[in-house]
């Protein structure tokens, strides 16, 4: 079905835009300056593997994904 197609393909590494070529340099400079960086996202459990595939997961000190956090 359409929802499954979107879930599996559009929001995958092949469906994402490329990262700005200067992004890594900027994030590394911020971290080297002592700035703590985090991603706080209302995304599903694909975000962590997606960031690893895009090789940007280690640019941040913390990653909080709503689908991984149980909120009562």
């Amino acid at each position: 079905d359409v929802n499954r197609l979107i879930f599996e393909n559009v929001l995958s590494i092949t469906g994402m835009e490329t990262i700005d070529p200067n992004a890594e340099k900027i994030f590394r400079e911020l971290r080297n300056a002592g700035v703590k960086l985090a991603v706080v996202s209302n995304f599903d459990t694909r975000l962590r593997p997606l960031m690893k595939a895009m090789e940007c997961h280690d640019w941040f000190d913390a990653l909080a994904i709503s689908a991984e956090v149980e909120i009562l």
Side-chain angles (χ1 to χ4, degrees), residues 8 22 29 43 60 65:
E8 292 177 354
N22 295 313
E29 287 177 3
F43 203 76
F60 304 94
I65 304 167

Side-chain angles (χ1 to χ4, degrees), residues 13 17 19-20 23-24 27-28 31 37 39 47-63:
I13 187 67
E17 296 292 323
I19 296 175
D20 183 299
E24 181 175 12
F27 284 118
R28 297 259 183 237
R31 286 185 78 190
L37 301 171
V39 172
L47 183 57
R48 195 175 299 274
L50 181 62
M51 289 180 69
K52 285 183 181 178
M54 295 177 80
E55 300 179 351
C56 64
H57 66 287
D58 63 341
W59 299 355
F60 304 94
D61 299 292
L63 178 58

